[in-house]
Amino acid sequence: MVVKTTSFEYLKKLKSPFHTDVSVSSRMRFGRGSKVSGSGVVSTPLVTKEDKTPYFVTLLGISVGNKYIHYDGSSENVEKGNMFLDSGTPPTILPTQFYDRVVAEVKNQVSMEPVGDDPDLGIQLCYRTKNNLLGPVLTAHFEGVNVKLEPFQTFVSPKDFVFCLGFTNTSSNGEIYGNFVQSNYLIGFVLEAKVVSFKPTDCTKNS
């Protein structure tokens, strides 16, 4: 980790993909020189909740391939700040009904049969395959921006020759945009402007 200044107005971080060589490091920067900019950058508002935590964003829905799935049945019903951006929680945690719709559509678009006979995997959506899946591509639709997620960001391998969707569900408040899907994105928080930015980046080459 590299800290450039003591100002917390700007924060920029890099997250390498799951199973990246442990010798490869990523960096975090603080201060005005760490603002995320350039080609490919998209930004969405940060929402401050009751406890004054500023790292909430508004997720409107997720596309599985070309199939758009609304967060709450209709984008008009979405609560502001419904997702917490958390670099310390690996999976993305969705409300149960939304999660079920996303999983059902992933199953619909993957030709392989899901793993159904491995107690180690619990209720995760998993597939037996030597290499990661080629699709589908998921897109997280935040307020005003779309963040594309390739299979290496959404499927992780908990054991040899098995890849599982890195999402889980919750029936209570606690929705989280986890660090699996943040991999290979340069993510910058500008707290004064209440904005977070995403820039596609090969984080293994930006250590």
Side-chain angles (χ1 to χ4, degrees), residues 82-134:
N82 57 12
M83 294 292 290
F84 182 61
L85 287 173
D86 189 1
S87 60
T89 300
T92 290
I93 303 175
L94 303 176
T96 298
Q97 291 185 353
F98 182 42
Y99 169 84
D100 289 344
R101 296 196 301 270
V102 171
V103 167
E105 187 57 34
V106 172
K107 288 181 179 179
N108 184 52
Q109 295 189 28
V110 175
S111 59
M112 294 182 289
E113 283 294 317
V115 176
D117 57 356
D118 191 331
D120 292 339
L121 301 176
I123 63 170
Q124 297 180 87
L125 174 61
C126 302
Y127 296 94
R128 286 197 174 90
T129 172
K130 182 178 180 180
N131 300 307
N132 204 341
L133 285 72
L134 299 177

Side-chain angles (χ1 to χ4, degrees), residues 15-196:
K15 171 69 172 64
S16 297
F18 190 63
H19 280 326
T20 296
D21 190 314
V22 294
S23 66
V24 176
S25 62
S26 294
R27 64 177 62 184
M28 182 179 292
R29 293 173 174 162
F30 298 90
R32 293 183 180 276
S34 61
K35 186 176 181 180
V36 175
S37 60
S39 177
V41 175
V42 295
S43 302
T44 190
L46 288 169
V47 178
T48 301
K49 303 299 279 285
E50 292 79 4
D51 63 357
K52 307 302 181 183
T53 301
Y55 301 108
F56 288 89
V57 291
T58 303
L59 181 66
L60 303 177
I62 291 175
S63 286
V64 181
N66 293 323
K67 177 69 173 180
Y68 187 96
I69 303 169
H70 288 292
Y71 182 91
D72 197 21
S74 170
S75 59
E76 296 177 357
N77 298 328
V78 172
E79 177 188 359
K80 295 284 188 179
N82 57 12
M83 294 292 290
F84 182 61
L85 287 173
D86 189 1
S87 60
T89 300
T92 290
I93 303 175
L94 303 176
T96 298
Q97 291 185 353
F98 182 42
Y99 169 84
D100 289 344
R101 296 196 301 270
V102 171
V103 167
E105 187 57 34
V106 172
K107 288 181 179 179
N108 184 52
Q109 295 189 28
V110 175
S111 59
M112 294 182 289
E113 283 294 317
V115 176
D117 57 356
D118 191 331
D120 292 339
L121 301 176
I123 63 170
Q124 297 180 87
L125 174 61
C126 302
Y127 296 94
R128 286 197 174 90
T129 172
K130 182 178 180 180
N131 300 307
N132 204 341
L133 285 72
L134 299 177
V137 172
L138 274 62
T139 304
H141 301 283
F142 295 107
E143 184 178 359
V145 302
N146 302 317
V147 176
K148 185 178 179 181
L149 302 172
E150 300 287 349
F152 75 86
Q153 295 162 312
T154 55
F155 283 89
V156 296
S157 179
K159 59 198 306 185
D160 290 345
F161 307 119
V162 173
F163 285 84
C164 300
L165 184 67
F167 290 19
T168 188
N169 63 340
T170 180
S171 57
S172 60
N173 292 332
E175 296 83 359
I176 290 174
Y177 192 74
N179 67 36
F180 289 150
V181 292
Q182 295 179 46
S183 65
N184 268 19
Y185 270 100
L186 182 59
I187 301 176
F189 297 87
V190 186
L191 301 186
E192 186 177 71
K194 296 184 178 179
V195 164
V196 59

